[in-house]
Amino acid sequence: MRSKYTALQITLHWLVFLLVVGAYCAMELKGFAPRSYRPIFNATHVTCGISVFFLMVARLLVRIKYRAPAIIPKPHPAIIGVSHLVHTIIYLMFITLPILGFLTVYFKGSDWSVFGISMPHAMEPDEDMEFTIKSYHELIANIGYFVIGTHAFAALFHHYVWKDNTLLRMMPGKKE
């Protein structure tokens, strides 16, 4: 059995990471920019978000095809269970967030595009639906800070405290 994830899994993981950072930074930093730059921040956020959606679906399909390499030494079953739970939350979160973001912009009812492709929008704006969905989107995104932090902390804890291969399995570099 492999000791690392496949090159495709590693690439998708780190690409999603960069896009998530881009989406979060675009929203967090737009308030510091002059108003005239805000559409650029919004477009960056939306583009990163939709890209994350497609890459997370790809990650899920690849994950179904390729089993995770074993953690050596093997952790306690409870640790493995918590790990599976956190990964399930991450997949659900980063598939759901872009869908909610898409629906938020859809119900805004104005023209918009991604990658130069005109996107559908409601014929009549529905502000109530827009703001309701947006509030869920923002809530999950805020919870995302905790989930991402927990994920990163756990990977570093595995590496530096338990000294297992959890982090090394997802690092790019030498082939096995």
Side-chain angles (χ1 to χ4, degrees):
M1 178 167 213
R2 297 176 273 105
S3 64
K4 291 182 73 154
Y5 285 95
T6 66
L8 177 59
Q9 287 172 301
I10 293 169
T11 300
L12 288 171
H13 175 274
W14 292 108
L15 189 52
V16 166
F17 167 75
L18 291 174
L19 288 166
V20 167
V21 168
Y24 273 86
C25 285
M27 283 299 92
E28 294 297 337
L29 298 175
K30 88 174 184 178
F32 296 104
R35 277 195 167 292
S36 61
Y37 287 100
R38 289 189 183 171
I40 295 167
F41 284 87
N42 288 336
T44 300
H45 178 76
V46 169
T47 301
C48 288
I50 288 176
S51 299
V52 164
F53 172 78
F54 287 109
L55 291 176
M56 286 303 290
V57 170
R59 280 188 70 182
L60 185 58
L61 296 174
V62 171
R63 179 69 182 87
I64 291 168
K65 181 171 173 57
Y66 298 105
R67 292 180 50 102
I71 299 173
I72 300 169
K74 188 174 182 175
H76 188 277
I79 300 299
I80 293 170
V82 170
S83 169
H84 287 272
L85 176 63
V86 171
H87 281 95
T88 300
I89 290 168
I90 288 170
Y91 276 91
L92 287 172
M93 186 170 54
F94 288 118
I95 289 172
T96 303
L97 273 171
I99 292 170
L100 293 174
F102 179 91
L103 290 172
T104 298
V105 180
Y106 174 86
F107 284 110
K108 191 172 189 173
S110 54
D111 291 335
W112 65 293
S113 65
V114 177
F115 301 119
I117 301 168
S118 186
M119 294 286 122
H121 57 83
M123 297 304 276
E124 294 289 325
D126 186 339
E127 283 187 1
D128 290 338
M129 186 65 81
E130 175 193 353
F131 289 118
T132 298
I133 294 171
K134 184 178 181 179
S135 69
Y136 288 122
H137 179 78
E138 290 173 349
L139 173 65
I140 295 170
N142 287 329
I143 292 169
Y145 284 112
F146 174 75
V147 174
I148 294 165
T150 300
H151 179 66
F153 175 80
L156 294 171
F157 194 85
H158 274 271
H159 188 73
Y160 290 107
V161 177
W162 287 338
K163 301 192 184 305
D164 63 26
N165 70 335
T166 296
L167 181 61
L168 297 175
R169 297 177 315 152
M170 192 50 82
M171 295 304 291
K174 294 184 207 174
K175 296 196 186 259
E176 298 178 58

